[in-house]
Structures are given as structure tokens and as C-alpha cells.
Amino acid sequence: MEFLIPLINKLQEVCTTVGTDLIQLPQIVVVGSQSSGKSSVLESLVGQSFLPRGTGIVTRCPIVLQLIHVSKEGSDYKSEEEGMGDYDEWARFLHTNTVFTDFNKVQEEIQAYTNKIAGSNKGVSSDALYLKVYSQKVVNLTLVDLPGLTKVPVGDQPEDIEIQVYDLVMRYISNPNSIILAISSANTDIATSEALKLAREVDPDGNRTLAVITKLDLMDTGTDAMDVLCGRVIPVKLGIIGVVNRSQQDIVNNKKFKEVLKDEALFLQRKYPTLASQNGTPHLSKTLNRLLLHHIRKCLPDLKKRFQSLLNSLGEDIVDKKQTLLQIITKFSSAYCSAIDGTGKNIETSELFGGARISYIFHETFGKTLDCINALSGLTQFDILTAIRNSSGPRPAIFVPEIAFELLVQRQIRKLEEPSLRCVELVHEELQRIVQHCGTEIQTDMMRFPVLHDKIKDVITALLRKRLPPTNEMVENMIAIELAYINTRHPDFHPQAVAAATFANSDEGTIPKRSNLTKRHTDSFAPSETTGNIIINGVDVPKEPLKGQIYDVSSRSQSSGSWFSKILPSGIGPATNGSRTTAQTVPTSSNPSPVSGSPQRTPTSATSHERQLFDKEKNDCDMIECLIKSYFGILRKQIQDAVPKIIMYSLVNHMKNSLQSELVTHLCKAEQIDLLLAESEHVAARRREASEGLQALERVIHMIEEMREATYFGTGTKFKL
């Protein structure tokens, strides 16, 4: 099973090339405080001095250390590195193709790269440095050396250095597929270990935490670490292993690691004879190898799923370009229509989108805008009075001219055109916006083929621009149709009841006294003695008409002419011109009154004169206002219902029905296919790497299954992690 760790190293390179954090690979994360001996432990595992040393924080970025065991022949790995046949160990960085055989050069390269990505002010960076070490003296391991935990900034370190290091450490140890190697020194109280504290935060059960106690030889005389190593002080599920580090004098003297390991073994035999076999650097190396293998094996199924998902997101290799283009067009058209119909797989939860937003435009934005339009906005009583007089010609009108009502209501109906056209524009904008948010699968293809994405946007923009004028024209025609004919026989328009209610609500001074009326007048218009209501042509009409109730006051009318003449009682007209009311005051000019005996000029505008309206004038204006309100309300409902239907028919449904055919017509041209399906080399390389990683995982899983079956059927083939 030793091949598993090199496989994970290969997958680590794949993930680095792909540039994604989606796949969390099994690895050993080394955590400890500054000067706890982390670097010495790693160098002992490698058998070479290659990590930067100094005071304060030295490791300022994550160092992913991949240890790869090579045999004496080393044909598998030496063939990969040209000229490595004469060397037993060498190193190679992922960011450079240079192969290092001198580990002092490796140390210099680490320092140079750290200064490049983290600066020279002792700050830290989350960008990882990848280093492979090939050697006969190492076991297959993947370790991540992190900056040492610190509390107080020193020198020119940033003030938030503690937070930076904490966030970086938590990012790596929070990976559920990682093994936490918590480093603590023996000459400090293990109960104060920051490494174990952080490990417990992310791994409270201790299933993936291994503790290492360094500097066993530096404890005070008369003390030992027996209780700590046996887990009596703080138990650790995976165990506690003690090691002896190189001293500073050993580093200065460049003492060989073979001698350091021999001295460590002698110290453990002398000081901890019963625990000597369970401690020391060789035992730590084997334990880490065993734990990592076991951990990788458990993670393989999940890794396969994640690599499959990554590969799906990058797309498959193109075999038939025309077929691929047709598939992308079909998927895009389907996703676009699903966004409108609300049947997509990924439902947006942060904002209204697609068809839901179009519905909001119809029923909230457009509907409320129409409701806010006042039927009499921009109309004054003198505008109405002027319209009545202009439509009467030289003869004073006995009844309100019908043409005045039509002219005034047409003027108000035109105000419904602008919000209707604005509604078309809002829906047009939403249809354009759907292109950017029509499904993750389509977005992946769009990112993979940027030229195709731009062309699709151009086709949709052109199609929407083509459909916008006909839609606007239909809306304008609908308004023009309503203006062309004012239907006073509309089923919902009841001018008789409106006029009766207006007349009933007028001042009592405008109703002729009963003693002045003839018998015929009394029969046609008289107050009811029993109900207190007003009787018009024999119909009992309340002063306040009930909602939805209609009163026919023209059934006994004997007069002929326009429909306005049918809404007043026969033989009864408004008050004479000689009577005046004090109910309303209107503006007049400061000019003196006309000469006595000369005819008085009537006002031609609402601001030219100030006088009191005659009773007949006021009643006529009130009646026109009520009729305009009634008819305008009817048309407002009709337009509020018709405009969304026009937009759906002419714009939205047309887009859904013709989108795919338009895309095929404009994009599926032989001379354009190669250009449209051109992808960057970076995307192609990422896909190849992910595919190789997935194939490697599948081979490993297949091999593990074969080994299980062989053991199960008793063939004698056994393996142990």
C-alpha cells in the first residue's frame, strides 16, 4: 500500500495546477509554537538540514513537504529527473523545474520564495510552497509545515501577526482529511500547549491528532516526561511520541543526522528504557506513514466523488465540435426557458429572477404605477368648463355636450401610455439579464468558451432588439384603439347612475322648491316622503348610492338628443344663470368690472378671472368629473390586464419559441465552429490533470478491492495498514 502516498502527492500537484480548494487531500499538518522544535522534527524525518533558521518567525508560508522513498536503483523516479542516476537524494520545487542536489541551495530557494510571496517585513502568506524530496532514507509522507504560533509582534512584524498565523493554521487543520501533528517542547508545561488547544477546537474527539514532545534532553535535572508520554497528563487518542532534537551546537558543528539518531536512541534507552521502542524519530516516521496510509484509504471514495465533480465542472474533451456546439445551444435554450418558467434545477434564493421578476414587474411595479395615476390629474374645473363651452359653440348649452366628455377623457387616457411602454422596457431588461444567470452548467460552458458566450449574448441582444419595436407598437395601438372610440355603452359604465348620484349630492339650494314645480315636474323629480331619498322619474334614488347598484333615471324621459339628455329628469334643468352660489371661489383678474349693460366676457382660462361658479356650471363640472373617473377606472383595469398579455405574447413567448432556432441559424456555420469552441490552454491543462487524477484514484480503488477479495477468499495474500 506504499503507492498510496505518492498517488496523493500526484493529486496534490493536480489540485495546485487546477487551482481549487474543492478537493481536501489527506496530509499531515505540523502545528506548534515558535521555537517548539518543528523545523528540527521535519529535518530529522528528512535527514537533511534544509529549512531556514533564525530568530523570531522564520517559516512565513505553508511549506508542503512531499517525502518520496526511492530504492537504490530508483529507476522509477530517477528516470523522471534527467541526470539523477548518480545521486541518492535530491529535491525539486513545484514552482521551478530546477533539480537541487545541494540542500543548502534548497534552503536559499525557500528563503527567496518566501520573501517573494510574503515580503521581507516578517509577515505571513497563505500561498503554499511545494517541495519534493527524493531519498532512500525517508518513508513516503506528505507534511505541511506552518508558521509557528506567536502572541506578540516583534521587530517590524505587523500588529495583527497573531491573527494572521491563527487564521492560516485553522485553514489547514480544519480540513477533515488532515492529520494534526501537534508539537510541544518537554521543557514547558504541556497543559499550556497552543498546538493541542487548536487541535481540540477542530478535532474534539482526537481522531486525527498525534502529539510530539520535543527537547526531552533539555528538561530540568530530576524531572522526566514519563507521565506526559504515557498520556496521564493529557490523553491523546493517536498517541504521544517523544523525540530528541539537534542542539544548536550540533547545527553549528554540522553534525550528521545518522549520529544524531544514534545519540537519540542511546538517550531514550538510558532515560526511558520501557518506552524507548515507542519513541524517537524512526518510530515517529513509521507511525506517521501508517496513519497517513490508513487515513488516505478511508478518504479515497470521497476523493473520487470530488475529482469527478471537478472534472464535470471543467467539461469533457471535444470529439465532434458541431455536435458539442449543438448540445451547448440546446442546454442554453433549455436553461433560458426554465429560468422564465421557474422550472430550473438551481432556484435563486437571494433575489427575484427570470419569470418571477417578470411577474413582479407586471403585478407590482406596473400595477401600482397605474393605481397611482389620478383620473383627474392635470384637470381643473375651469379646464372642464372651458371644454364644455368650446364644444357648445355660440349657443349656451342646456345639457352637457357629449364631445366635452370625450375630449377630456381622451386626454387622461393618454397618460396610461407611458407606464405601459416602461413596463415593456423593464421586461426587456430582465430577459437580457437572464443570459448572465441561467444555470451553473451553462455558466461552466460559457466560461470554457468565452467567444461562444459573447456570440450568444449578441444573438439574444439582437433578437430582443428586433422584438422590442413590435411590442411597443402593439401597446401604442392598444391605447390608440381606446382613444379612437369612447364606448359609453360599455357594460361597466353607467352614466345614468353617476349623474343621478352627482345631482343628488349637489347642494339643496340647486333643487327647485316644490311649490314652483308643475304637476309633471313634481312627478318626475321629488323627495320621497317615506324614505327621505330623491325620486327621479319615479325611481327612488338614495342621496348616497350604494356600491354596485345602478338606478335607471331615464326610463320616463321624454326628451331626445344626446345621451346626456337622458340622464336628467324630463322638464327639469339646472338652476338659472341668474342664481349664484357661494360654494366655490375662482381666480379673477384685477381689472374693473365691465360697464353696466354690456355683456360680460366669459373666462377663457383658469387663471384669467376670479369669480364664483354658477350652480349649473358647478353641477356640469361635477358631472364630467364623475364620468371621467368612472370611465378612466374601467380603461385602467383593461390596460392593466392587456399590457402583460401583449408583452408575454409578443416578447417573452416569442423569445422562448424562437431562441434555439435563432442560435442555430447564426452560430452553426462551418467557418465559425472552430473559433466559437476555442478554449484557453489553461482550461485544457486543468481538465487533463483532473482526468489523470481521477483515473489514478480509480486504479487505486480497484487494486484495494482486489486485495480485499484475495484476502477474503484465503489466497494467502495479506496486507496491513
Side-chain angles (χ1 to χ4, degrees):
M1 300 298 287
E2 290 291 330
F3 60 86
L4 287 179
I5 295 177
L7 168 67
I8 294 300
N9 294 340
K10 177 64 176 176
L11 297 181
Q12 187 73 60
E13 294 183 15
V14 171
C15 292
T16 304
T17 304
V18 170
T20 179
D21 294 331
L22 173 66
I23 300 175
Q24 297 175 320
L25 296 174
Q27 54 193 6
I28 299 172
V29 181
V30 184
V31 183
S33 301
Q34 284 187 21
S35 303
S36 61
K38 294 189 294 82
S39 298
S40 296
V41 170
L42 293 176
E43 289 180 342
S44 297
L45 292 175
V46 176
Q48 289 286 350
S49 179
F50 65 96
L51 292 175
R53 291 183 174 274
T55 59
I57 184 170
V58 178
T59 304
R60 296 188 289 120
C61 70
I63 300 177
V64 180
L65 182 60
Q66 298 175 354
L67 306 183
I68 301 174
H69 177 76
V70 294
S71 61
K72 290 184 179 181
E73 294 79 10
S75 57
D76 294 340
Y77 296 104
K78 290 181 180 180
S79 59
E80 297 179 5
E81 312 292 350
E82 185 178 353
M84 290 296 101
D86 299 332
Y87 295 94
D88 293 333
E89 52 186 0
W90 65 93
R92 182 172 64 86
F93 291 94
L94 189 60
H95 65 272
T96 178
N97 293 325
T98 305
V99 177
F100 296 86
T101 56
D102 184 357
F103 281 83
N104 291 326
K105 298 292 185 181
V106 173
Q107 187 180 57
E108 295 175 359
E109 178 64 23
I110 292 176
Q111 290 177 334
Y113 188 80
T114 301
N115 291 333
K116 177 181 177 181
I117 63 175
S120 57
N121 62 343
K122 297 295 183 180
V124 297
S125 172
S126 60
D127 295 335
L129 182 152
Y130 292 85
L131 172 63
K132 280 186 175 183
V133 176
Y134 300 84
S135 175
Q136 302 176 16
K137 298 178 291 185
V138 301
V139 296
N140 291 324
L141 282 177
T142 302
L143 305 105
V144 181
D145 185 22
L146 295 176
L149 299 170
T150 183
K151 291 293 184 181
V152 181
V154 295
D156 56 352
Q157 286 183 345
E159 293 296 328
D160 62 341
I161 186 67
E162 178 185 1
I163 299 176
Q164 291 185 29
V165 174
Y166 175 83
D167 292 341
L168 182 59
V169 170
M170 291 299 292
R171 173 185 169 186
Y172 277 86
I173 66 177
S174 297
N175 175 9
N177 294 334
S178 65
I179 296 175
I180 304 172
L181 190 64
I183 308 292
S184 301
S185 58
N187 55 0
T188 60
D189 190 352
I190 192 174
T192 63
S193 172
E194 286 290 331
L196 288 175
K197 177 185 175 183
L198 294 181
R200 283 192 173 183
E201 290 183 13
V202 297
D203 182 33
D205 297 331
N207 295 325
R208 52 188 184 90
T209 301
L210 175 68
V212 175
I213 305 300
T214 62
K215 304 179 182 180
L216 290 176
D217 56 332
L218 298 182
M219 297 186 68
D220 294 338
T221 305
T223 61
D224 59 33
M226 183 67 71
D227 291 340
V228 174
L229 295 176
C230 292
R232 300 191 188 106
V233 179
I234 296 179
V236 180
K237 185 175 291 187
L238 296 184
I240 302 176
I241 299 176
V243 297
V244 177
N245 301 109
R246 286 194 305 168
S247 64
Q248 186 62 34
Q249 188 63 40
D250 293 338
I251 296 174
V252 172
N253 296 335
N254 197 19
K255 188 176 182 178
K256 299 295 183 181
F257 276 92
K258 184 182 294 185
E259 298 177 6
V260 172
L261 294 178
K262 185 182 296 184
D263 293 343
E264 179 189 48
L266 292 175
F267 174 82
L268 291 173
Q269 286 290 346
R270 183 179 70 255
K271 192 71 175 177
Y272 306 97
T274 59
L275 301 177
S277 61
Q278 302 175 16
N279 292 275
T281 301
H283 179 72
L284 174 62
S285 178
K286 295 177 182 178
T287 301
L288 291 175
N289 177 262
R290 175 177 55 84
L291 291 175
L292 185 58
L293 284 173
H294 181 70
H295 206 62
I296 290 173
R297 184 185 172 195
K298 290 195 305 182
C299 296
L300 283 180
D302 181 63
L303 288 177
K304 180 181 177 182
K305 292 180 181 179
R306 292 179 179 271
F307 263 94
Q308 185 66 58
S309 175
L310 176 61
L311 187 59
N312 292 338
S313 67
L314 294 174
E316 300 178 353
D317 289 328
I318 301 175
V319 180
D320 188 341
K321 290 188 175 182
K322 187 172 183 179
Q323 182 181 359
T324 302
L325 180 58
L326 287 174
Q327 290 175 351
I328 294 175
I329 290 175
T330 302
K331 285 196 299 183
F332 179 85
S333 302
S334 177
Y336 191 92
C337 296
S338 297
I340 296 176
D341 297 333
T343 57
K345 295 180 180 179
N346 301 313
I347 302 299
E348 184 68 39
T349 58
S350 59
E351 62 175 349
L352 292 179
F353 168 70
R357 191 174 186 87
I358 292 174
S359 176
Y360 181 86
I361 293 172
F362 286 160
H363 304 294
E364 296 293 331
T365 305
F366 178 60
K368 290 183 178 179
T369 301
L370 292 188
D371 291 339
C372 292
I373 299 178
N374 190 345
L376 300 176
S377 62
L379 278 182
T380 64
Q381 282 199 328
F382 265 95
D383 292 334
I384 298 173
L385 184 59
T386 303
I388 293 173
R389 291 183 175 182
N390 286 336
S391 60
S392 300
R395 296 175 299 278
I398 299 177
F399 304 108
V400 179
E402 183 176 351
I403 189 64
F405 165 73
E406 292 186 358
L407 292 174
L408 292 173
V409 79
Q410 286 175 344
R411 172 179 170 182
Q412 301 305 104
I413 292 173
R414 288 190 179 93
K415 296 180 180 180
L416 300 175
E417 182 175 1
E418 182 179 352
S420 300
L421 295 177
R422 177 57 180 162
C423 181
V424 177
E425 183 180 349
L426 291 176
V427 175
H428 172 269
E429 293 174 358
E430 180 59 25
L431 292 175
Q432 186 71 46
R433 194 173 73 98
I434 293 177
V435 180
Q436 306 294 336
H437 311 83
C438 59
T440 55
E441 296 181 1
I442 303 304
Q443 291 302 316
T444 301
D445 290 331
M446 297 300 100
M447 293 175 61
R448 181 181 177 186
F449 307 111
V451 178
L452 177 61
H453 186 203
D454 294 338
K455 289 292 184 180
I456 288 178
K457 288 197 298 183
D458 292 342
V459 172
I460 292 180
T461 301
L463 182 58
L464 287 172
R465 190 183 299 116
K466 178 181 177 182
R467 293 305 307 169
L468 188 59
T471 307
N472 286 334
E473 185 178 359
M474 291 183 69
V475 172
E476 292 170 351
N477 288 341
M478 180 193 65
I479 301 296
I481 289 171
E482 297 296 344
L483 294 173
Y485 180 65
I486 305 301
N487 183 15
T488 56
R489 287 299 188 92
H490 192 282
D492 296 330
F493 184 60
H494 306 286
Q496 296 91 343
V498 173
T502 305
F503 198 75
N505 290 329
S506 61
D507 294 336
E508 293 183 358
T510 63
I511 302 177
K513 294 183 179 180
R514 187 180 185 90
S515 58
N516 297 330
L517 296 177
T518 63
K519 181 69 168 62
R520 182 169 59 86
H521 294 167
T522 304
D523 291 339
S524 62
F525 184 86
S528 174
E529 296 180 355
T530 58
T531 63
N533 296 330
I534 298 176
I535 300 176
I536 303 177
N537 291 340
V539 179
D540 192 0
V541 181
K543 292 183 178 180
E544 298 291 338
L546 300 178
K547 183 178 180 181
Q549 190 170 356
I550 299 175
Y551 303 96
D552 187 1
V553 298
S554 62
S555 59
R556 301 185 182 182
S557 177
Q558 302 296 325
S559 61
S560 61
S562 68
W563 60 272
F564 274 102
S565 63
K566 300 179 181 180
I567 64 176
L568 294 178
S570 176
I572 299 298
T576 61
N577 292 341
S579 61
R580 296 179 177 270
T581 179
T582 59
Q584 181 170 345
T585 302
V586 295
T588 66
S589 68
S590 59
N591 295 335
S593 302
V595 180
S596 178
S598 62
Q600 185 175 350
R601 293 177 60 105
T602 58
T604 59
S605 67
T607 59
S608 60
H609 293 79
E610 181 176 305
R611 67 172 179 81
Q612 294 177 341
L613 289 178
F614 295 115
D615 293 336
K616 178 183 184 307
E617 294 173 339
K618 185 177 184 304
N619 289 340
D620 291 348
C621 292
D622 292 342
M623 184 182 300
I624 291 292
E625 288 180 357
C626 292
L627 293 173
I628 291 175
K629 288 180 181 179
S630 177
Y631 196 83
F632 185 85
I634 294 171
L635 289 192
R636 176 163 51 193
K637 291 180 181 179
Q638 291 182 189
I639 292 174
Q640 188 172 348
D641 177 67
V643 169
K645 294 179 179 178
I646 292 174
I647 296 174
M648 289 299 297
Y649 167 76
S650 180
L651 190 60
V652 179
N653 290 343
H654 191 277
M655 279 292 299
K656 291 169 55 179
N657 297 332
S658 61
L659 176 60
Q660 185 169 353
S661 61
E662 287 286 333
L663 291 175
V664 171
T665 302
H666 289 84
L667 301 181
C668 290
K669 298 179 180 179
E671 64 274 10
Q672 292 184 351
I673 293 180
D674 292 337
L675 177 62
L676 295 177
L677 296 182
E679 61 177 346
S680 63
E681 295 181 0
H682 176 64
V683 175
R686 291 173 60 190
R687 185 174 56 262
R688 286 195 300 270
E689 294 285 351
S691 179
E692 292 175 1
L694 179 61
Q695 293 174 5
L697 278 174
E698 291 176 344
R699 289 197 302 268
V700 170
I701 294 175
H702 181 67
M703 294 172 64
I704 292 175
E705 293 297 330
E706 287 182 345
M707 298 171 75
R708 284 178 178 173
E709 292 176 2
T711 304
Y712 179 78
F713 287 108
T715 60
T717 304
K718 295 183 180 180
F719 65 94
K720 184 170 149 185
L721 295 178

